[in-house]
Amino acid sequence: MTAARLLIVGPQGSGKGTQGVRIAEALGIPAVSTGDVFRANVKEGTELGQQVKAIIDAGDLVPDELTGAIVRDRLEQADAAGGFLLDGYPRNVSQVRDLDAFLRDRDEELTAVIELVVPRDESIARLSKRAAEQGRSDDNEESIAKRLSIYERETAPILDVFRERGIVDQVDGVGSLDEITERITAALVARGITA
Ligand code: AMP
């Protein structure tokens, strides 16, 4: 059996948060979402939250060093020793290098990267719906446009790095929640990653 050290990547509105949690639960590994960590800190008004609130609301990226330290901290906790699913990190090539170095020190590496493929129009439609339903402070038109363009410019290139390693599975992100979970599960099973 291959260790589940996973990353889920997709544009904003691709459903990667929801699918990440489902897959992690099924595999019994923690889902680590940097966006969730930041939002929880903003909500609680911690020092970190105060540092990142304006950045997140504007749709910009939090500095790599700060984000990297948070992820390292989380992955060092005992429940991540046997595997984890990262959602939203790494998000640019420099974060890939940081994560690689951290994992190399532990004799570990990512074992699969799920790329959720959702057309731009569909992501925008889902984000507008989420804005109406959840009132996330970064789901305004300006921030959405900026986040999608950062995704295309900075995040999509990380997939090329992982593609060269042969660990990327492209999964169609359009369909029902269950259908998409099944597609991801099948891709992982094909790599020997099972519960
Ligand atoms: P998400 O929920 O993954 O879309 O993240 C929400 C926001 O948190 C992003 O728009 C960024 O401002 C910040 N963020 C989350 N993950 C990262 C990351 N890996 N690097 C920098 N900023 C991040």
Side-chain angles (χ1 to χ4, degrees):
M1 202 179 88
T2 310
R5 296 196 181 90
L6 313 177
L7 164 65
I8 188 161
V9 183
Q12 285 73 18
S14 62
K16 68 186 165 58
T18 308
Q19 293 297 334
V21 167
R22 286 177 155 223
I23 297 294
E25 267 176 17
L27 294 173
I29 52 174
V32 176
S33 155
T34 41
D36 282 354
V37 172
F38 290 138
R39 277 185 292 278
N41 277 275
V42 169
K43 202 166 158 208
E44 287 158 23
T46 65
E47 201 182 318
L48 171 66
Q50 289 170 26
Q51 257 176 299
V52 301
K53 183 175 185 336
I55 301 175
I56 291 177
D57 285 352
D60 288 315
L61 289 187
V62 173
D64 291 343
E65 279 185 27
L66 189 55
T67 312
I70 285 163
V71 173
R72 285 194 297 275
D73 244 35
R74 180 64 189 88
L75 295 184
E76 274 164 0
Q77 290 173 32
D79 64 340
F84 50 78
L85 180 146
L86 290 169
D87 157 17
Y89 183 92
R91 224 176 177 97
N92 58 32
V93 171
S94 139
Q95 293 182 4
V96 172
R97 278 197 293 267
D98 291 345
L99 177 66
D100 278 345
F102 172 77
L103 292 178
R104 202 176 308 122
D105 281 347
R106 307 190 342 160
D107 280 328
E108 292 178 0
E109 58 188 5
L110 289 180
T111 49
V113 176
I114 300 294
E115 178 189 359
L116 270 187
V117 182
V118 174
R120 202 174 207 270
D121 291 355
E122 172 86 13
S123 319
I124 293 175
R126 291 188 194 174
L127 286 171
S128 313
K129 190 160 166 259
R130 184 172 79 185
E133 285 169 4
Q134 299 178 10
R136 243 176 77 162
S137 57
D138 58 349
D139 279 344
N140 58 75
E141 207 172 311
E142 206 176 315
S143 169
I144 288 173
K146 195 189 281 179
R147 280 149 60 215
L148 284 171
S149 78
I150 291 177
Y151 179 80
E152 281 155 17
R153 197 178 61 239
E154 296 197 38
T155 308
I158 75 171
L159 288 163
D160 296 332
V161 176
F162 293 127
R163 232 168 245 130
E164 279 177 24
R165 297 183 196 171
I167 58 170
V168 177
D169 288 310
Q170 279 196 335
V171 173
D172 177 3
V174 182
S176 74
L177 282 184
D178 286 346
E179 274 165 2
I180 299 165
T181 306
E182 276 165 30
R183 287 175 200 151
I184 298 173
T185 306
L188 294 176
V189 167
R191 289 185 182 276
I193 298 169
T194 52

